Amino acid sequence: MKRIAPEVERLMWLIAENPDQRAVTDFESRFPEFRADLAKHIAMVDGLKTAGKKVPAQEIPRFVPRYTTPPRRPNRSLYVAFAFVLGALAFGTYSATVMLVNPPRPTPKVTDVVLSPPKLPPVETQPVHREPINTNPVDLVPEKGVESVATPDPMDKVVDFKGQRAPLAAAITMVCKKAGIVCELAPGVPMDEVVLDYEGWSARDVLEDLGQKYGFSVFPQQEGAILIIPARKEDGPTRVRGDHKPTPTSDPGDGWGGRERPAKAEPDKSR
Amino acid sequence: VSAVIDQARPAAFDEDVVLVERYLAGDQAAFELLYSKYYDKVLAIARGVLMDADEAADAVQEVFTLVYRHLNRFDRRARFSTWLFRVAVNRSIQEARKNKHKNRNVELTEALPAENKEADDMDPRVQTAMAALAPADRVLLVLFYWDELSLQEIADSIGCNVNAAKTRLYRARERFRVQYELVPE
């Protein structure tokens, strides 16, 4: 099949659509090699036009409008609601899956805070014996150099002796016994006979006074116990360790600070 | 300026618009006149696109029903016939596409009688060649050769400009020629 130039093809279509005999003759004289093609085009267009005309001339049917309503599109709000339902379903499914995979830990129950004190087992109450409160302000003030203790020191217990004669060791033992003190005498305690004449003196003051006179020192041991050690000759009489008496201002050589001097124990000169 | 020129330009008188106005005013007879006037042309379009007389008749009723219900949408900027043909073309192509999918599931023996019936009415070569074309190509040939519309009217009916319509018609004609020559005489 020979190739037809587009211009010639267009010309053939034009002639075929308006088949004028003069135009056909002119085309055939100019393009004699396309004479057969022109005839084909004319036949083809004629057949095409005739096919359209061959539509059976039937009676025009009466027009009856069809009221078949097209399928209604769902409302937009329906779409939105459907989207919400889908979203809720998706969230629910996700939550259920998460809960199944990781079950929630049991959370501790929060209860009201109990402000009342915890109940303790009942304790048998026993009557407590209390010492009568000492209201004497002098006794409440602790002496200098003496550690204040809750329990009264037996050394501070007042002991009274009225003109009793006894050897020194026995006199010391009597004082300690009266005050409730355990006394231990070191060897070498003088055996002088002394007269105990003290009234209103504490055991500490009595022992100190005797120590100054007869040459021994009182060393406090554990609570309620003392050790009596005789003093050396060059040392002279000593004082009880840890007992710092204030220096008397009125009578420096007195050593009693202006207090009324109790009756002195006189050594037994008869011996 | 163009708006002023358009207003000054005398609009071509369209007698169909009078019938449209009458119908919209409530005159049902006016629509019957339009229906009987354009039935053949709309049927030709539907038949040329659908290649089936029954389907074409059905499509014509569909097209006029659409026009009947939506005639108030006709904006009168174009001729009524152009607007009607455009509706017919779109509806026919839509039906042809729908039938194409439907016919795939139909047995060949069931489809034969309809084709034989059409063959009695139309040149078998033209029938075969037309059937081998796409509905869009068939529309152009039908509008040009069967309904004898001008290129401007064809352009308005298919929604393009004149040059595009001319080019599409040329290509559709060439495809038809190829298919026509393939069919033995």
Side-chain angles (χ1 to χ4, degrees):
Chain A
M1 187 180 179
K2 48 187 181 290
R3 174 111 180 136
I4 302 174
E7 296 80 20
V8 177
E9 179 78 25
R10 206 165 278 145
L11 193 58
M12 280 195 291
W13 279 114
L14 194 61
I15 294 170
E17 286 159 7
N18 301 292
D20 183 31
Q21 190 56 43
R22 226 175 66 183
V24 172
T25 306
D26 188 40
F27 180 85
E28 288 176 349
S29 63
R30 287 179 63 185
F31 305 102
E33 68 274 21
F34 296 129
R35 180 181 292 179
D37 294 303
L38 179 61
K40 279 183 185 177
H41 276 71
I42 292 173
M44 188 167 53
V45 171
D46 186 54
L48 194 58
K49 286 183 176 178
T50 309
K53 297 284 191 304
K54 274 188 177 176
V55 173
Q58 55 184 332
E59 192 179 338
I60 297 176
R62 181 179 170 76
F63 172 67
V64 179
R66 299 178 178 179
Y67 288 104
T68 51
T69 53
R72 283 184 62 187
R73 292 185 176 179
N75 211 0
R76 189 174 178 178
S77 57
L78 203 64
Y79 282 119
V80 174
F82 187 65
F84 271 113
V85 169
L86 270 182
L89 275 176
F91 181 74
T93 308
Y94 172 76
S95 303
T97 308
V98 167
M99 283 188 68
L100 282 175
V101 172
N102 302 321
R105 295 175 183 173
T107 53
K109 265 190 174 180
V110 179
T111 55
D112 295 337
V113 178
V114 180
L115 295 176
S116 58
K119 288 182 177 176
L120 296 175
V123 180
E124 292 180 7
T125 54
Q126 294 179 348
V128 179
H129 175 72
R130 297 195 176 195
E131 294 288 337
I133 298 172
N134 187 6
T135 53
N136 188 4
V138 178
D139 292 344
L140 291 176
V141 178
E143 294 182 10
K144 288 185 178 180
V146 179
E147 293 180 0
S148 60
V149 290
T151 54
D153 193 353
M155 291 285 282
D156 294 331
K157 194 171 181 179
V158 177
V159 290
D160 294 329
F161 296 97
K162 290 183 179 176
Q164 296 180 4
R165 290 177 175 267
L168 182 59
I172 292 172
T173 304
M174 283 171 61
V175 171
C176 291
K177 192 176 179 181
K178 205 164 191 173
I181 301 167
V182 178
C183 178
E184 189 175 353
L185 298 173
V189 176
M191 298 303 292
D192 299 336
E193 188 174 300
V194 297
V195 177
L196 294 176
D197 190 11
Y198 298 99
E199 194 172 350
W201 287 49
S202 66
R204 183 191 311 278
D205 293 338
V206 173
L207 291 174
E208 185 180 340
D209 186 57
L210 290 174
Q212 284 180 349
K213 288 177 180 172
Y214 300 103
F216 62 87
S217 299
V218 179
F219 289 90
Q221 302 296 305
Q222 55 189 5
E223 188 175 348
I226 58 172
L227 176 63
I228 304 297
I229 298 175
R232 296 176 185 174
K233 288 182 178 176
E234 60 268 20
D235 289 342
T238 58
R239 309 168 55 187
V240 176
R241 298 282 175 93
D243 188 7
H244 305 285
K245 293 274 185 183
T247 306
T249 52
S250 58
D251 185 7
D254 189 3
W256 290 98
R259 278 199 298 178
E260 184 188 357
R261 195 177 183 91
K264 291 181 182 179
E266 294 293 331
D268 190 3
K269 300 201 177 169
S270 59
R271 297 180 73 181
Chain B
V1 174
S2 60
V4 173
I5 294 173
D6 287 341
Q7 285 180 354
R9 184 185 298 165
F13 178 71
D14 184 5
E15 61 181 8
D16 296 336
V17 175
V18 177
L19 295 174
V20 170
E21 296 291 346
R22 282 174 53 189
Y23 164 70
L24 291 176
D27 185 1
Q28 292 290 328
F31 190 82
E32 291 290 340
L33 288 174
L34 288 171
Y35 172 73
S36 56
K37 183 179 180 181
Y38 289 104
Y39 179 84
D40 286 342
K41 290 184 179 292
V42 173
L43 178 64
I45 293 171
R47 184 168 168 264
V49 174
L50 294 170
M51 302 299 295
D52 185 272
D54 293 335
E55 288 181 1
D58 202 39
V60 171
Q61 294 298 317
E62 289 282 342
V63 168
F64 276 103
T65 300
L66 284 173
V67 172
Y68 181 82
R69 292 171 58 189
H70 303 294
L71 195 56
N72 54 348
R73 295 182 186 176
F74 172 54
D75 57 3
R76 299 167 185 78
R77 283 185 299 185
R79 297 175 66 87
F80 170 76
S81 58
T82 304
W83 184 73
L84 174 64
F85 294 155
R86 191 165 186 172
V87 173
V89 165
N90 291 334
R91 186 69 187 178
S92 299
I93 291 176
Q94 192 177 344
E95 287 291 323
R97 287 173 180 164
K98 198 190 299 178
N99 293 340
K100 185 181 176 183
H101 295 295
K102 192 167 67 181
N103 289 338
R104 282 178 181 171
N105 300 325
V106 177
E107 294 288 336
L108 183 61
T109 53
E110 295 175 7
L112 278 175
E115 290 188 359
N116 290 339
K117 183 184 176 185
E118 288 299 316
D120 293 339
D121 301 333
M122 198 184 290
D123 181 3
R125 293 187 71 185
V126 174
Q127 164 80 16
T128 306
M130 286 284 280
L133 294 179
D137 288 339
R138 288 204 295 265
V139 162
L140 289 163
L141 296 177
V142 165
L143 291 174
F144 190 72
Y145 290 110
W146 293 7
D147 287 344
E148 298 177 340
L149 299 183
S150 68
L151 283 173
Q152 181 63 56
E153 288 172 322
I154 292 173
D156 292 340
S157 298
I158 62 175
C160 65
N161 58 39
V162 177
N163 289 330
K166 193 174 180 181
T167 305
R168 288 186 192 181
L169 177 62
Y170 178 78
R171 289 174 183 167
R173 199 163 48 188
E174 278 297 309
R175 292 187 192 107
F176 175 77
R177 185 182 65 81
V178 171
Q179 296 296 329
Y180 185 84
E181 289 177 352
L182 287 175
V183 179
E185 293 184 14

